[in-house]
């Protein structure tokens, strides 16, 4: 009885989730009349705009990941070590981006950092790029912080720090050689998730007028028929790869930990 | 006919037979322990009585009624689990009153019964606490009260003490026994701790490999184990190798000393058999009524307070023996020669 | 359990607290959070109450009181609520099926990985996937029309509608629910269910009196999260509907781009309204959670 019902629920989920994926894949192959072909993919991949926006977004993702890790790891470490009472407050702040819509945050950026403000970031292309990167870091903050904080929970931060200090290590050494290697898996999980978020992000890039992959996809969607489906398949593949890599490194790290 | 009757119970998980032809009759008000190592099938038997597992064959009758086809919630059985299975979202009083609420007992009657149960377990003032505010021992007492509140016909205890500290374990088992006797409730207690089983049971079922090896009162199980497994599993045992001289008369030779056992042997003349002695049956030095005397060498002395446990090499075997502490007699030094005496009547012949 | 530093003697902790130097370690994070999260949001909130000249006013909020804007809020709330509730219910059913339903164990891992992928497969490509499936010339639409003679359009189904958008949002809502609620379901001890049945409770009574109250905080939190998730979804909506659908995020997007409402400060009010609504959703969550969680450590 329970089993039947369970299979039913699973089957429903399976149908609901595979149909759109089949739909987009099938559609992406239909560009040539009467037969399946990869024409749509060829067209998309050959588009210089695609290459431009895609590499822009990849670069932004990498910079965001680097900045996010540099910001989150020392903060989470410091809070656990020295200010445990502040953890709920810091956690609350990191969760805010889940509550405040991204469009509201970027709206605030546009008004706060415009050309006539005290910090005219939107005045130059580079300034806007930096602002967009901070925006992405904000969006990724809940995931990054959670991943790292969970990673830190599994190690005894205080003892490791004291042991390192007693051996003469400074804060930089402790963070780079003791804490980071121990939470590397967590940081990498957060990094891949950040990558998946940034690569297809639309709202912030569009409103800040940056040539990112998200707005490019939207533009193509408004003007073409088959290419968007091909793009969706590619984007799905990227997301899948990111999640797969998270699984892989988690499993790999469990393996090495068991061996130790 | 017994109040709770288990007949020819069989259970297999896949090809693994975990319970084999298990039979047991429990009288009303009796406290029976299922004792055995992990994987011996004791928990499976209990879970079949509870209704969480369905036997492949056999019958379980409570008060003459076969319950095998009843669902757990129809059997009117109380159960206390190993891990604290209190509902974390309910207060102590709500936990205890849970079964009454399900039965549709009125609010006022519920309150009276809950208060009565809390008094019974000695926690009358903790009704408004949540489980996380209680110690492990308190939680298990509440779990006991919850199981008893609905006046079940049978109480099942699934290793209820194994998660607790040693001290609480001892005090709580006494308390469980007192409550059980006060209410006169038929109880099955599952444990792997022989001391626990010996101390609180009316009868013990020693299980091994899905089979009930021996059923009997604690005194009987301890002093007259039927099988080698029971003898080894229950209590500490010293074993000696002996040669049979005359099976009909029960005469054997132990390291050159001739001993006459109280009962005849089934072995043949010349066979080698294993004889066993409890540590407390061995005596350091000669003693009245302990007619067998063997020479030995002290190898180890553990002073445990009221008891001194001594190890000695006797008749080619390393044996443990217990003596009571006496302020005027210091324990013997290691390496000293000593005589060890015992009575042939205390020897246990270890069968298969 | 959390960290051994919490076990530091109270005296040492008090001394540390007095040292302002420790705050320096938190400074980069705080500066970042203030500059790129809190200040921008505050700017919007304050802007909603300011005239272009900078004095206090309620005119902007009053400006929201038009039929178009009210309708936009209403449909946005309806879509978010529907997709959150349905996402919770279906996600819960699927998670319960894999955790408690006795399905083969090998299903669990791939399903959770897939949930991770699908919950992040939002935005523009998701819209494309649904357009290619149940859009005007999508796979299912065409199949139903040519093979079975069913015209979805004639039946009143339109992807650019309340149900179309809800159906699309569910694609990331359901997996998100599965990801969050699976650990919570794992936390339900087998003994609770057994203890309840020993006390005479049926499966339904166990769920009503024990399991659901225990899961309640997680369920509620996820509901609030899913609501905010759908309410702020801009990319999927725009890619799906262009700007033809009148929902708040699209309206705000258009307003930021080109001041379609003809009043720059109305944008602040519009955004402020979004914060208020997701804020209320989370406020209800926090309030209910505080009431229901007295039994938690």
């Amino acid at each position: 009885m329970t089993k039947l019902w369970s299979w039913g629920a699973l089957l429903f989920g399976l149908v609901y989730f595979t149909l759109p994926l089949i739909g987009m894949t099938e559609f992406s192959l239909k560009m040539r009349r009467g037969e399946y072909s990869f024409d749509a993919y060829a067209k998309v991949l050959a588009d210089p705009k695609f290459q431009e926006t895609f590499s822009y977004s990849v670069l932004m993702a990498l910079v965001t990941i680097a900045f996010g890790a540099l910001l989150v790891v020392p903060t989470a470490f410091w809070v656990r070590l020295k200010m445990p009472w502040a953890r709920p407050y810091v956690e609350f702040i990191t969760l805010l981006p889940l509550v405040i819509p991204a469009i509201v945050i970027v709206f605030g950026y546009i008004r706060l950092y415009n050309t006539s403000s005290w910090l005219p970031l939107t005045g130059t292309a580079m300034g806007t790029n930096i602002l967009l990167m901070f925006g992405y870091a904000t969006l990724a903050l809940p995931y990054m912080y959670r991943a790292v904080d969970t990673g830190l929970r599994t190690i005894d931060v205080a003892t490791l720090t004291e042991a390192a200090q007693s051996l003469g290590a400074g804060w930089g050494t402790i963070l780079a050689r003791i804490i980071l290697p121990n939470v590397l898996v967590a940081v990498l999980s957060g990094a891949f998730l950040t990558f998946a978020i940034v690569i297809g992000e639309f709202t912030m890039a569009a409103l800040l007028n940056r040539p990112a992959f998200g707005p490019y996809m939207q533009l193509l969607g408004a003007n073409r028929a088959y290419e968007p489906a091909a793009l969706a398949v590619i984007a799905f593949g990227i997301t899948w790869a990111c999640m797969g890599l998270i699984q892989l490194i988690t499993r790999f790290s469990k393996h090495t930990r068991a061996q130790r | 006919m017994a109040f709770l009757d288990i007949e020819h119970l069989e259970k297999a998980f896949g090809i693994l037979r975990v319970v084999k032809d298990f039979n047991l009759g429990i009288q009303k008000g009796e406290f029976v322990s299922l004792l055995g190592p992990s994987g011996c099938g004791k928990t499976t038997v209990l879970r079949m009585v509870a209704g969480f597992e369905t036997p492949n064959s056999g019958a379980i009758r409570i008060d003459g009624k076969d319950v095998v086809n009843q669902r757990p919630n129809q059997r009117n059985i109380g159960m206390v689990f190993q891990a604290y299975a209190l509902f974390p979202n309910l207060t102590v009083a709500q936990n205890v009153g849970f079964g009454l609420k399900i039965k549709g007992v009125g609010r006022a009657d519920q309150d009276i019964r809950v208060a009565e149960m809390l008094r019974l377990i000695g926690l009358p003032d903790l009704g408004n606490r949540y489980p996380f505010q209680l110690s492990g021992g308190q939680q298990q007492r509440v779990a006991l009260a919850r199981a008893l509140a609905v006046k079940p016909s049978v109480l099942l205890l699934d290793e209820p003490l194994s998660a607790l500290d040693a001290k609480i374990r001892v005090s709580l088992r006494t308390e469980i026994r007192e409550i059980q006797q006060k209410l006169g409730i038929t109880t099955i207690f599952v444990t792997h701790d022989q001391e626990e089983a010996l101390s609180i049971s009316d009868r013990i079922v020693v299980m091994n490999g899905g089979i009930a090896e021996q059923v009997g009162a604690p005194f009987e199980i301890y002093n007259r184990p039927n099988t080698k497994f029971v003898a080894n599993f229950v209590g500490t045992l010293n074993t000696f190798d002996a040669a049979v001289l005359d099976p009909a008369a029960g005469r054997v030779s132990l390291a050159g000393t001739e001993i006459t056992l109280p009962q005849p042997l089934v072995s043949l003349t010349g066979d080698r058999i294993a004889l066993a002695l409890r540590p407390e049956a061995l005596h350091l030095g000669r003693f009245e009524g302990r007619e067998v005397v063997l020479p030995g060498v002290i190898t180890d002395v553990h002073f445990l307070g009221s008891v001194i446990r001594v190890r000695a090499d006797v008749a080619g075997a390393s044996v443990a023996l217990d003596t009571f502490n006496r302020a005027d007699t210091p324990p013997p030094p290691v390496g000293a020669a000593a005589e060890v005496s015992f009575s042939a009547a205390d020897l246990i012949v270890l069968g298969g | 359990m959390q960290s051994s530093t919490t076990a530091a003697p109270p005296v040492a902790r008090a001394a540390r607290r007095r040292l302002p130097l420790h705050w320096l370690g938190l400074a980069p994070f705080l500066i970042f959070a203030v500059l790129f999260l809190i200040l921008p949001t505050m700017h919007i909130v304050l802007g909603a109450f300011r005239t272009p000249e900078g004095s206090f006013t309620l005119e902007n909020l009053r400006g929201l009181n038009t039929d178009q804007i009210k309708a936009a809020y209403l449909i946005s709330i309806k879509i978010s609520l529907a997709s959150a509730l349905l996402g919770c219910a279906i996600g819960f059913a699927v998670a319960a099926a894999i955790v408690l339903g006795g399905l083969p164990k090998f299903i669990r891992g791939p399903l959770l990985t897939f949930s991770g992928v699908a919950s992040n497969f939002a935005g523009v490509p998701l819209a494309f996937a649904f357009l290619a499936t149940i859009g005007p010339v999508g796979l299912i639409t065409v199949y139903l029309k040519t093979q079975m003679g069913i015209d979805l359009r004639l039946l009143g189904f339109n992807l650019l509608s309340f149900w179309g958008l809800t159906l699309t949002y569910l694609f990331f809502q359901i997996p998100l629910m599965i990801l969050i609620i699976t650990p919570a379901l794992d936390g339900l001890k087998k003994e609770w269910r057994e203890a309840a049945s020993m006390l005479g409770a049926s499966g339904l009574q166990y769920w009503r009196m024990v399991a659901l109250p225990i899961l309640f905080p997680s369920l509620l939190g996820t509901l609030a999260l899913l609501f905010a998730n759908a309410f702020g979804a801009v990319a999927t909506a725009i890619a799906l509907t262009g700007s033809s659908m009148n929902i708040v995020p699209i309206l705000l997007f258009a307003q930021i781009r080109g001041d379609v409402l003809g009043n720059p400060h109305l944008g602040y009010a519009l955004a402020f309204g979004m914060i208020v609504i997701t804020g209320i959703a989370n406020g209800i969550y926090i309030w209910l959670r505080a009431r229901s969680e007295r039994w938690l450590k």
Side-chain angles (χ1 to χ4, degrees):
Chain A
M1 173 63 195
T2 315
K3 220 165 181 172
L4 199 75
W5 177 87
S6 299
W7 279 109
L10 192 71
L11 204 71
F12 173 84
L14 222 59
V15 169
Y16 175 77
F17 283 99
T18 43
L19 273 182
L21 300 179
I22 295 172
M24 72 178 184
T25 314
E26 203 255 3
F27 205 77
S28 73
L29 298 172
K30 273 206 311 204
M31 195 168 187
R32 208 179 289 172
R33 268 192 182 280
E35 60 172 320
Y36 287 137
S37 72
F38 288 101
D39 284 6
Y41 293 89
K43 226 175 192 149
V44 163
L45 293 174
D47 185 355
K49 275 298 230 188
F50 167 82
Q51 293 158 8
E52 223 169 85
T53 56
F54 190 72
S55 37
Y56 175 85
S57 280
V58 169
L59 186 69
M60 285 303 285
L62 294 180
V63 177
T64 306
I65 288 166
F67 173 78
L70 275 177
L71 181 74
V72 164
V73 174
T75 303
F77 163 71
W78 196 254
V79 168
R80 279 213 171 256
L81 185 67
K82 299 280 184 183
M83 313 168 92
W85 53 270
R87 236 185 90 219
Y89 305 105
V90 173
E91 216 163 67
F92 177 76
I93 293 173
T94 63
L95 290 177
L96 277 180
L98 293 181
V99 179
I100 306 170
I103 190 170
V104 174
I105 296 175
V106 74
F107 187 26
Y109 287 0
I110 292 169
R111 292 301 158 97
L112 204 55
Y113 302 114
N114 61 25
T115 41
S116 57
S117 77
W118 59 280
L119 192 62
L121 280 175
T122 54
T124 60
M126 190 34 94
T128 317
N129 285 342
I130 292 171
L131 188 60
L132 183 58
M133 187 274 286
F134 283 137
Y136 286 163
T138 311
L139 293 186
L141 190 60
Y143 307 99
M144 199 66 164
Y145 191 88
R146 218 187 133 100
V148 171
D149 197 48
T150 314
L152 283 174
R153 186 160 52 196
T154 59
I155 59 171
D156 188 346
V157 175
T159 311
L160 281 182
T161 306
E162 275 161 21
Q165 276 176 326
S166 75
L167 295 168
W171 287 117
T173 317
I174 292 173
L175 269 172
R177 313 243 335 238
I178 312 287
I179 302 302
L180 193 62
N182 273 299
V183 294
L184 194 62
V185 171
V187 172
L188 284 176
S189 301
F192 287 123
L193 203 57
T194 306
F195 191 88
I197 293 170
V198 170
I199 203 77
E201 206 282 333
F202 168 76
T203 314
M204 286 190 162
L207 288 175
L208 288 175
N209 260 325
R210 296 317 299 154
F213 190 49
Y216 166 76
M217 284 197 285
Q218 193 266 333
L219 196 72
L220 207 67
N223 299 312
R224 297 286 170 84
Y226 300 101
E227 286 92 333
L231 273 178
V233 173
I234 293 171
F236 187 76
I238 294 169
T239 314
W240 187 276
C242 287
M243 297 303 132
L245 283 170
I246 292 177
Q247 288 277 311
L248 208 67
I249 50 166
T250 317
R251 201 167 303 164
F252 179 68
S253 74
K254 267 184 201 145
H255 189 62
T256 51
R257 211 166 277 172
Q259 274 181 339
R260 242 183 271 164
Chain B
M1 201 170 66
F3 178 69
L4 171 62
D5 237 337
I6 302 176
E7 274 174 17
H8 306 299
L9 205 61
E10 289 271 350
K11 178 72 185 174
F13 293 116
I15 52 159
L16 190 70
R17 281 173 79 200
V18 284
V19 175
K20 301 168 194 164
D21 193 24
F22 186 87
N23 295 282
L24 181 66
I26 301 176
Q27 299 305 318
K28 199 171 173 91
E30 202 179 9
F31 191 114
V32 173
S33 292
L34 304 184
L35 173 66
S38 59
C40 72
K42 58 189 193 298
T43 302
T44 311
V45 169
L46 194 79
R47 291 175 64 81
M48 284 192 277
V49 175
F52 297 134
E53 307 284 355
T54 314
N56 294 77
S57 63
I60 300 169
R61 275 188 293 274
I62 298 177
D63 209 3
K65 220 169 54 206
D66 195 339
V67 297
V68 164
N69 292 318
Q70 284 185 346
R71 284 204 297 270
N73 58 356
Q74 300 168 325
R75 297 192 181 190
N76 192 29
I77 289 175
M79 183 156 173
V80 177
F81 296 83
Q82 180 177 354
Y84 321 126
L86 294 182
F87 306 130
N89 58 319
L90 302 180
T91 62
V92 166
Q94 287 168 331
N95 262 287
V96 175
F98 187 89
L100 302 168
K101 196 171 166 189
I102 296 282
K103 273 192 173 174
V105 176
R107 184 78 222 197
D109 293 338
Q110 262 185 51
D111 290 348
I112 294 169
R113 181 73 179 150
V114 167
E116 187 187 328
M117 293 318 295
L118 291 180
R119 268 199 312 279
L120 183 72
I121 57 164
L123 302 172
D125 304 322
L126 300 188
N128 289 324
R129 297 257 185 107
Y130 282 95
F132 79 91
Q133 295 166 309
L134 303 182
S135 70
Q138 288 173 329
Q139 288 193 42
Q140 278 308 51
R141 279 193 276 175
V142 174
L144 183 65
R146 181 178 68 178
L148 292 171
V150 288
K151 300 189 177 158
S153 57
V154 176
L155 177 65
L156 305 178
L157 306 170
D158 184 9
E159 308 218 18
L161 304 172
S162 60
L164 303 175
D165 297 340
K167 249 202 173 123
I168 310 224
R169 211 148 57 199
V170 173
S171 68
L172 190 54
R173 79 176 183 220
T174 317
E175 211 171 315
I176 288 177
R177 177 60 159 161
E178 278 170 13
I179 291 173
Q180 184 267 334
Q181 284 178 323
K182 197 156 149 195
L183 302 178
I185 184 165
T186 314
T187 303
I188 304 180
F189 177 78
V190 160
T191 181
H192 61 263
D193 184 326
Q194 39 114 352
E195 189 191 312
E196 242 168 61
L198 291 170
S199 67
I200 61 175
S201 317
D202 291 318
R203 276 194 301 155
I204 296 175
V205 180
V206 183
M207 290 187 69
N208 184 35
I211 292 168
E213 294 248 342
Q214 187 172 359
V215 183
F219 183 81
E220 203 182 319
I221 295 272
Y222 186 81
N223 291 307
R224 293 278 163 249
N226 275 350
T227 68
K228 202 168 191 164
F229 173 82
V230 175
N232 275 312
F233 191 77
V234 182
T236 313
L237 216 57
N238 299 307
T239 50
F240 299 97
D241 204 29
V244 178
L245 299 176
D246 181 352
R251 281 195 308 122
V252 298
S253 164
L254 200 168
T257 310
E258 201 178 303
I259 300 170
T260 306
L261 300 174
Q263 75 271 36
L265 294 165
V266 289
S267 318
L268 302 172
T269 304
D271 276 1
R272 307 210 55 96
I273 59 166
L275 297 175
L277 271 176
R278 297 287 182 199
E280 65 272 18
L282 278 165
H283 197 86
L284 205 56
R286 286 165 190 267
F287 200 75
E288 197 186 329
R290 311 266 161 111
E291 73 282 3
V292 186
V293 180
L294 297 171
V297 179
I298 308 285
T299 57
D300 212 357
V301 177
H302 287 287
F303 185 73
L304 305 175
S306 66
V307 170
I308 304 167
R309 176 154 287 193
V310 178
R311 287 201 82 84
D313 282 339
V314 175
S318 175
V319 300
L321 55 98
D322 292 349
T323 60
F324 282 112
N325 171 47
R326 288 173 54 135
D328 54 354
T329 345
V334 172
E339 283 184 320
V340 171
S341 62
F342 59 89
S343 163
D346 288 334
L347 279 170
I348 303 165
V349 180
L350 296 182
Chain C
M1 177 188 120
Q2 295 287 322
S3 150
S4 61
T5 45
T6 44
V11 183
R13 265 172 71 186
R16 270 184 204 165
R17 226 183 260 208
R18 255 178 264 126
L19 273 176
L21 220 63
H22 281 99
W23 281 97
L24 278 180
L26 218 53
F29 173 78
L30 288 179
I31 291 169
F32 171 79
V34 167
L35 279 185
F36 298 104
L37 183 59
I38 295 166
L39 267 187
T41 312
M42 291 307 295
H43 187 79
I44 300 292
V45 173
L46 293 177
F49 294 96
R50 248 197 315 235
T51 62
E53 290 73 41
S55 56
F56 177 82
T57 179
L58 287 176
E59 270 316 301
N60 299 326
L61 292 188
R62 254 180 232 130
L64 294 179
N65 192 16
T66 70
D67 286 345
Q68 187 200 2
I69 295 176
K70 275 193 296 189
Y73 271 112
L74 195 67
I75 186 85
S76 274
I77 291 172
K78 266 165 70 179
I79 290 173
S80 308
L81 207 58
S83 76
L85 285 171
L86 281 172
C88 262
I90 299 170
F92 185 83
V94 174
I98 52 169
V99 176
L100 308 166
L103 295 181
K105 281 213 166 65
F106 65 83
I107 289 179
R108 186 192 164 109
L111 193 95
L112 287 182
T113 308
F114 179 81
S115 297
V117 176
S119 66
N120 282 295
F121 186 64
V124 182
L126 174 65
F128 293 166
F130 270 81
L131 276 172
T133 310
I134 48 172
V137 288
L139 181 68
I140 294 180
T141 318
V142 171
Y143 179 82
L144 288 178
K145 204 171 191 172
T146 54
Q147 306 294 317
M148 311 178 91
I150 301 170
D151 192 340
L152 283 179
R153 204 159 266 275
L154 288 179
L155 288 174
F157 180 82
N158 178 1
L159 197 52
L160 316 184
S161 68
F162 166 76
W163 280 112
L165 225 54
T166 305
L167 198 66
T168 310
Y169 284 5
L170 280 177
F171 196 89
F172 56 79
Q173 300 281 57
I174 294 173
L176 193 57
M177 175 69 179
I178 294 176
L179 282 183
I180 300 178
I181 210 67
T182 299
L185 284 171
D186 283 335
L188 289 178
K189 285 196 203 160
K190 191 184 73 178
E191 283 89 350
W192 292 337
R193 192 187 191 117
E194 292 182 348
S197 75
M198 283 279 88
L199 294 165
S202 63
L204 215 63
Q205 281 168 318
Y206 160 72
W207 274 99
R208 190 167 57 78
M209 297 166 77
V210 181
L212 281 180
I214 290 172
L215 292 175
F216 189 63
S218 317
L219 284 173
L220 214 59
T222 318
L223 193 65
L225 186 67
L226 293 191
F227 180 86
N229 205 20
F231 197 74
V234 179
T236 315
I238 286 183
L240 203 59
T241 70
S243 48
S244 66
M245 185 126 175
N246 184 35
I247 58 173
V248 180
I250 291 183
L251 200 59
L252 181 58
F253 188 86
Q255 167 68 9
I256 297 171
R257 271 241 166 125
D259 191 16
V260 290
L261 298 172
N263 174 1
H265 275 250
L266 209 49
Y268 287 121
L270 209 55
F272 174 68
M274 287 184 80
I275 299 175
V276 168
I277 285 165
T278 54
I280 288 174
N282 279 276
I284 293 173
Y285 158 57
I286 290 167
W287 178 66
L288 279 174
R289 185 189 161 111
R291 275 171 47 105
S292 70
E293 250 188 9
R294 274 167 305 152
W295 51 273
L296 274 186
K297 261 166 255 196

